[in-house]
Amino acid sequence: MAKQEKTVWFCNNCGAESSKWVGRCPGCGEWNTMIEEKVRPAKGGRASAPLRGQESVVRPISQIETHEEQRISMPSGELNRVLGGGLVAGSLVLIGGEPGIGKSTLVLQNILSIRGRKILYVSGEESASQLKMRADRIGRLSDNCYIVCETSMDSIMEHIKDVQPQIVVVDSIQTIASDAIESAAGSVSQVRECSAQLLRYAKTSGTPVILIGHINKEGSIAGPKVLEHIVDAVLQFEGDGHYMYRILRSIKNRFGSTSELGIYEMVQRGLREVTNPSELLLSRNGDEDLSGVAVGVTLEGIRPFLIEVQALVSTAAYGTPQRSVTGFDYKRMNMLLAVLEKRVGFKLAQKDVFLNIAGGLKVNDPALDLAVICAILSSNVDMAIAHDVCMSGEVGLSGEIRPITRIEQRVLEAEKLGFSKIIVPKNNIKGFDTSRLKIEIVEVAKVEEAFRVLFA
């Protein structure tokens, strides 16, 4: 008797399965995320084999042997940093981003520069001629990079058996479909099934697999949330089409830190690494000092860089004051405005406040608080901050300047870029030898002290 198709409801958020429609997902608790799909049972009932190096034996944790993970060094230093030192053998890496942001370009220009390794690039979106044109534009060609345009998961596994690659790239996972499941490519069941097959191949063969994925309108990876749970690393490639900079962030990484950041610049021949972002993010207009501009020292992972904070404060023209923020947390700016009004005495309730982080970056480091309030006050009183002064510090609700992490790296970065003075929290540089530094370090404990240093 032929196997009959059945209808299953999947959660579009977490991938939870239900035999009937429910308003609220039993897995993640989200409302109205259940979608209906027809599922055809897979052929054969063979149980899955254990993963490489993970025999089905019960042992105490103290008797389990560990070994250092083998890593493949990528040509891009920024990508290596975000991955935690290179591409781990047998790992499954997911790179997501908006359409046209440069995901395929980033991966293609890296794999074309790898020598001595056989690479299979599976494209489900572009033709082979389109990829060849992109490679010509980048200016890199490689005989050890093989291209195949395929969307069937079974055919892809056959090509992998024939080529025996050392790195596999799938662009994109939402376009791949397995014959074992009768639903459209990109559906919850298809994404889950295809990613699970690629995960098993990566773990059993020790071959790293790079997946390129789409993101939805909310900014998260399209498809079920279980996709992010399956993979070993999730990298988000983001940026604004109006700016030349692209940011590569690590959202999840089982083999490295999730606080690392890679910065690229989009140029005609592809993506160029930005090794010193501070010099590009600071707009030095000669010796001209402008009000509403402050330079803060921020930190992403272990990488310090200086960034320009721009603020504009003006009288509310339409009665209701406006608050507009770009690249900074909107609620945190409102908190800092309340601190300025309550603790320092500046009345900003009836004024429009516009805040912008230069370069199109999004910064979450609380050490940028001091630069934000100084830029706002500078615009409010129309007094410029000296262009050779920078600052770094977290602002508390009582107006105090709180200590921050890695103060030594921040000070050294400011000195390297030629700043003559840096304002830091009081007692934050204990144990730091400043005798050889040329930069002047000013310690402040309150917001008022910082204002007196800047505006005398």
Side-chain angles (χ1 to χ4, degrees):
M1 183 176 178
K3 295 181 180 179
Q4 297 181 351
E5 297 179 354
K6 65 175 183 177
T7 299
V8 179
W9 294 85
F10 288 102
C11 174
N12 198 30
N13 184 50
C14 68
E17 182 178 331
S18 175
S19 59
K20 61 181 180 179
W21 181 87
V22 290
R24 187 176 186 181
C25 172
C28 61
E30 292 290 328
W31 289 91
N32 299 323
T33 58
M34 305 300 290
I35 58 176
E36 183 182 13
E37 292 183 8
K38 291 182 179 180
V39 178
R40 185 176 61 192
K43 300 176 182 178
R46 185 179 60 86
S48 59
L51 298 182
R52 180 174 62 95
Q54 298 182 6
E55 298 83 2
S56 181
V57 179
V58 179
R59 289 179 292 171
I61 191 171
S62 58
Q63 297 181 9
I64 298 176
E65 298 180 358
T66 60
H67 60 278
E68 187 176 352
E69 297 290 347
Q70 297 180 359
R71 292 182 182 268
I72 300 173
S73 179
M74 303 299 285
S76 171
E78 298 291 300
L79 181 58
N80 268 336
R81 179 189 294 110
V82 177
L83 286 172
L87 191 62
V88 177
S91 63
L92 191 63
V93 179
L94 174 63
I95 300 179
E98 295 180 355
I101 203 68
K103 305 182 296 296
S104 301
T105 302
L106 173 67
V107 175
L108 189 62
Q109 73 179 27
N110 269 273
I111 64 173
L112 289 177
S113 299
I114 297 177
R115 297 290 180 258
R117 292 184 183 274
K118 191 182 291 186
I119 301 164
L120 178 62
Y121 190 103
V122 180
S123 176
E125 298 180 342
E126 296 180 283
S127 65
S129 59
Q130 287 177 310
L131 291 171
K132 176 63 164 54
M133 289 170 59
R134 179 177 295 176
D136 291 336
R137 188 177 71 250
I138 295 173
R140 298 174 187 174
L141 294 176
S142 176
D143 290 333
N144 59 345
C145 180
Y146 296 85
I147 304 294
V148 59
C149 300
E150 185 60 69
T151 57
S152 172
M153 191 67 221
D154 299 327
S155 300
I156 291 172
M157 296 308 297
E158 290 297 327
H159 289 305
I160 289 175
K161 274 185 190 176
D162 296 338
V163 178
Q164 292 294 316
Q166 294 169 291
I167 299 176
V168 176
V169 179
V170 178
D171 183 11
S172 67
I173 186 61
Q174 282 84 10
T175 62
I176 309 301
S178 173
D179 295 338
I181 297 177
E182 192 166 317
S183 58
S187 62
V188 174
S189 55
Q190 285 288 6
V191 171
R192 183 169 60 177
E193 174 67 21
C194 295
S195 58
Q197 286 190 42
L198 290 170
L199 172 69
R200 184 155 299 281
Y201 162 73
K203 298 303 180 184
T204 53
S205 65
T207 304
V209 178
I210 300 175
L211 306 179
I212 299 177
H214 302 158
I215 65 171
N216 53 30
K217 60 182 180 181
E218 286 82 17
S220 57
I221 303 293
K225 200 71 176 176
V226 70
L227 175 61
E228 298 181 40
H229 294 300
I230 287 176
V231 300
D232 295 310
V234 180
L235 308 183
Q236 187 89 359
F237 201 46
E238 58 190 37
D240 193 331
H242 300 290
Y243 293 94
M244 65 183 74
Y245 303 114
R246 301 289 185 268
I247 309 298
L248 185 66
R249 298 181 186 272
S250 176
I251 301 175
K252 170 190 175 182
N253 194 351
R254 289 173 179 161
F255 307 108
S257 172
T258 57
S259 58
E260 289 298 336
L261 182 82
I263 301 180
Y264 292 87
E265 181 185 6
M266 181 62 77
V267 294
Q268 187 175 1
R269 295 177 64 87
L271 291 163
R272 185 184 68 85
E273 296 181 57
V274 179
T275 55
N276 190 2
S278 300
E279 295 182 351
L280 295 176
L281 297 174
L282 298 177
S283 59
R284 302 286 184 86
N285 298 319
D287 294 332
E288 182 183 1
D289 295 331
L290 303 174
S291 64
V293 177
V295 178
V297 189
T298 185
L299 200 70
E300 288 285 350
I302 59 173
R303 184 183 193 181
F305 58 90
L306 281 78
I307 197 167
E308 191 175 278
V309 180
Q310 301 171 344
L312 178 63
V313 180
S314 61
T315 304
Y318 303 104
T320 304
Q322 301 180 59
R323 300 285 187 267
S324 179
V325 183
T326 303
F328 194 72
D329 186 19
Y330 178 78
K331 293 181 179 179
R332 192 164 189 87
M333 188 196 73
N334 286 334
M335 182 204 72
L336 296 175
L337 292 176
V339 170
L340 281 175
E341 185 157 347
K342 181 72 175 180
R343 303 297 182 187
V344 191
F346 289 95
K347 304 300 181 183
L348 301 172
Q350 298 302 318
K351 293 188 176 182
D352 296 335
V353 179
F354 304 93
L355 184 70
N356 177 51
I357 305 299
L361 296 181
K362 295 179 181 178
V363 182
N364 297 317
D365 187 6
L368 203 65
D369 290 352
L370 186 57
V372 169
I373 63 171
C374 289
I376 291 172
L377 180 64
S378 171
S379 177
N380 184 48
V381 299
D382 201 19
M383 294 178 63
I385 299 173
H387 66 276
D388 59 349
V389 176
C390 62
M391 58 210 71
S392 189
E394 181 183 355
V395 177
L397 291 178
S398 61
E400 80 277 13
I401 309 297
R402 301 177 60 84
I404 54 178
T405 59
R406 299 184 182 272
I407 186 65
E408 299 92 344
Q409 290 176 285
R410 300 175 193 261
V411 173
L412 292 174
E413 179 73 9
E415 183 190 38
K416 184 176 74 173
L417 291 173
F419 284 83
S420 62
K421 183 187 293 185
I422 182 171
I423 302 175
V424 299
K426 195 170 185 179
N427 299 325
N428 201 183
I429 57 172
K430 286 184 177 179
F432 178 37
D433 184 15
T434 60
S435 58
R436 297 184 178 180
L437 298 179
K438 298 179 181 179
I439 189 172
E440 179 188 354
I441 301 176
V442 180
E443 299 182 80
V444 294
K446 290 281 188 180
V447 173
E448 301 95 311
E449 296 179 30
F451 293 163
R452 284 196 291 268
V453 171
L454 293 173
F455 306 109

